């Protein structure tokens, strides 16, 4: 069971290295647009327990609530191709009392070329009645520890693409 440790440093970004699989590609050998979601969600699901020591089911069981997706905003910039190794990064870029935005992005293996950027907005929902509920206890503390501070209301996804691209060039 997850217990928030206020003395621990929680990284703000997860990272995975994955290969683009043949069965996930279209006839042009590009990753099928719908498959980006699977790659992003699987990468985060693999990394969150490693970095933070928590399985999402722990939060669900302890707080009887779960995050439910209600919006995706995705931009396809460069295709990921069959057999290509890519990097997938994710991070919580914003949250309030009952919602959060997770930013996912994919680059080439050298982290020089941005391929895709996606924002997923989720609402925290009580399991029993299906209504929004507030982040409480360790959930609230955890989100404060792992969240970036991005003004999602004041920046467009196109502007965010430019920001990420400029950071990739600098590294």
């Amino acid at each position: 069971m997850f217990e928030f440790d206020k003395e621990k440093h929680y990284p703000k970004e997860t990272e995975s290295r994955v290969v683009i699989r043949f069965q996930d590609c279209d006839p042009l050998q590009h990753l099928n647009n719908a498959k980006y979601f699977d790659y992003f969600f699987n990468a985060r699901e693999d990394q969150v327990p490693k970095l933070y020591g928590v399985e999402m089911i722990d939060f669900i069981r302890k707080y009887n609530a779960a995050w439910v997706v209600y919006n995706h905003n995705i931009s396809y910039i460069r295709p990921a191709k069959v057999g290509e190794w890519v990097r997938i990064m994710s991070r919580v870029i914003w949250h309030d009392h009952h919602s959060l935005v997770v930013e996912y992005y994919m680059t080439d293996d050298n982290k020089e070329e941005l391929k895709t950027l996606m924002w997923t907005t989720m609402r925290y929902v009580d399991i029993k009645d299906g209504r929004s509920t507030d982040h409480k206890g360790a959930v609230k503390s955890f989100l404060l520890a792992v969240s970036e501070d991005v003004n999602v209301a004041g920046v467009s996804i196109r502007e965010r693409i430019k920001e990420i691209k400029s950071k990739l060039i600098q590294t």
Side-chain angles (χ1 to χ4, degrees):
M1 187 64 65
F2 176 74
E3 294 297 327
F4 181 74
D5 180 355
K6 62 183 178 184
E7 301 299 318
K8 182 179 176 182
H9 167 73
Y10 292 92
K12 296 193 186 286
E13 185 171 270
T14 71
E15 181 176 333
S16 294
R17 182 176 184 255
V18 298
V19 66
I20 303 302
R21 303 286 177 187
F22 174 80
Q23 75 261 11
D24 298 330
C25 293
D26 62 23
L28 298 175
Q29 299 182 354
H30 298 157
L31 183 60
N32 181 296
N33 285 0
K35 286 295 187 174
Y36 282 88
F37 293 89
D38 293 338
Y39 279 72
F40 286 146
F41 297 150
N42 289 337
R44 187 154 182 90
E45 185 178 347
D46 291 345
Q47 288 301 316
V48 165
K50 289 179 188 174
L51 287 177
Y52 307 132
V54 62
E55 298 282 348
M56 285 301 109
I57 195 69
D58 292 343
F59 280 137
I60 293 168
R61 287 180 181 146
K62 185 170 184 175
Y63 295 97
N64 292 313
W67 289 278
V68 176
V69 173
Y70 71 88
N71 185 44
H72 294 293
N73 189 348
I74 188 165
S75 292
Y76 304 99
I77 300 147
R78 295 277 182 251
K81 298 176 184 173
V82 68
E84 179 181 12
W85 284 93
V86 296
R87 304 283 176 155
I88 297 173
M89 280 64 69
S90 68
R91 56 190 163 205
V92 176
I93 60 168
W94 175 88
H95 73 278
D96 67 6
H97 64 286
H98 63 30
S99 298
L100 59 82
V101 176
V102 177
E103 178 177 78
Y104 302 87
Y105 64 102
M106 181 185 290
T107 69
D108 65 317
D109 198 25
N110 294 324
K111 294 166 66 170
E112 296 172 349
E113 179 182 66
L114 182 62
K115 294 184 173 290
T116 309
L117 174 68
M118 181 171 79
W119 287 352
T120 296
T121 308
M122 298 180 228
R123 179 72 50 97
Y124 201 51
V125 174
D126 184 277
I127 296 292
K128 292 177 185 163
D129 66 15
R131 294 183 180 268
S132 293
T133 188
D134 287 351
H135 296 127
K136 296 178 182 97
V139 175
K140 190 174 184 177
S141 299
F142 175 75
L143 288 173
L144 286 169
V146 302
S147 293
E148 294 278 332
D149 187 21
V150 176
N151 179 6
V152 293
V155 66
S156 72
I157 200 160
R158 288 190 183 276
E159 292 168 322
R160 191 70 178 152
I161 288 168
K162 288 178 186 176
E163 286 177 30
I164 293 171
K165 280 183 173 182
S166 73
K167 289 179 183 174
L168 291 176
I169 293 168
Q170 293 173 4
T171 55

